[in-house]
Amino acid sequence: MTASATPDETQDGQTEPGLRADAERNRDRILAAARRLYAAEGIGVSMAAVAREAGVGKATLSRRFATREELITAVFADRMDAYAAAVTEALADPDPWRGFAGYIQAVCAMQAADRGFADVLTMTFPASKALEARRTAAYNGFLELIDHAQAAGHLRDDFTSQDLVILLMANAGVIAATGDAAPETWRRLVGHMLRSYAAPGAALPPLPEGPSPSALYRAMVRLARTGADAS
């Protein structure tokens, strides 16, 4: 008795071009939908919500991405590449302090541009070797960046790599709290933190303007409503 072909194969074992194209289109739709939802709401969005946004069934989503980690890895692979590349660019700056400050600003800007990426930067994904490899490369580069800036005498000797993690957590919180009510608030936070990292005599970056009182009030109202909705 001849074995039946799988739904994606012809009787001679070859995958039909039309089915391959459909599968690729579904994958692209899923990734686009996940990017939209993650950017707006963070990576806590359910797989079911991604499937609805993409207009595909849960089974189709599971065939393309068996786990949440696989989907997150695919969505943020390019952003993690940019994250690692930012360290390389900073290390190439002949002024170690300027390279350090530029890197901090660049990474925090990546967080502000994509709420999902803000989540990814402050979490670990042990099952996703690709994401963790990129994170490790960026981390090792950052350690080198710290050494260079401290050796130049412009970065405080007591600054450690853990301080970046703390900043990213704080920045993620500001981004989530202010939303579109005061979207540039994070710049003020980062400006103050860079000044706190500077050793005496280092060139201080300009301090960005803070949000207006009315914008900050709207952000506070927004945060209160979000907390009420969650309770």
Side-chain angles (χ1 to χ4, degrees):
M1 183 175 178
T2 303
S4 299
T6 65
D8 289 345
E9 294 178 349
T10 60
Q11 291 296 323
D12 62 0
Q14 298 299 311
T15 303
E16 294 181 7
L19 291 176
R20 285 201 305 269
D22 284 345
E24 189 62 28
R25 280 194 294 270
N26 282 338
R27 186 177 189 278
D28 290 344
R29 288 167 64 186
I30 291 167
L31 287 175
R35 286 191 181 101
R36 289 193 299 271
L37 291 176
Y38 289 161
E41 302 177 31
I43 61 174
V45 173
S46 69
M47 295 286 275
V50 172
R52 286 195 300 271
E53 178 75 10
V56 302
K58 293 181 183 178
T60 298
L61 174 59
S62 296
R63 281 196 297 271
R64 303 282 79 80
F65 302 99
T67 67
R68 175 174 171 266
E69 286 74 18
E70 284 184 15
L71 180 57
I72 290 172
T73 297
V75 168
F76 293 106
D78 57 343
R79 289 165 176 78
M80 288 301 287
D81 285 341
Y83 178 52
V87 177
T88 302
E89 182 178 347
L91 286 169
D93 194 313
D95 182 335
W97 169 245
R98 185 175 61 196
F100 173 87
Y103 173 72
I104 296 293
Q105 291 167 332
V107 172
C108 290
M110 290 178 193
Q111 279 190 299
D114 189 326
R115 183 173 172 185
F117 191 59
D119 291 342
V120 168
L121 284 181
T122 56
M123 298 173 68
T124 59
F125 299 90
S128 177
K129 294 182 179 179
L131 274 187
E132 291 307 308
R134 290 176 176 90
R135 189 196 306 278
T136 298
Y139 176 74
N140 290 336
F142 184 59
L143 292 180
E144 188 176 353
L145 192 61
I146 292 172
D147 288 342
H148 290 180
Q150 288 176 335
H154 294 154
L155 176 63
R156 288 173 51 142
D157 290 336
D158 57 358
F159 180 90
T160 71
S161 60
Q162 290 91 331
D163 291 319
L164 175 61
V165 178
I166 294 169
L167 172 59
L168 293 177
M169 288 179 174
N171 196 43
V174 169
I175 292 165
T178 56
D180 57 4
E184 300 299 306
T185 304
W186 68 271
R187 297 186 186 276
R188 182 78 171 184
L189 169 68
V190 173
H192 275 303
M193 295 309 299
L194 281 172
R195 287 171 170 239
S196 75
Y197 301 153
L204 298 179
L207 185 62
E209 291 186 8
S212 68
S214 59
L216 194 57
Y217 177 76
R218 289 195 299 272
M220 293 169 67
V221 170
R222 177 185 180 278
L223 182 60
R225 288 174 177 168
T226 301
D229 292 341
S231 61

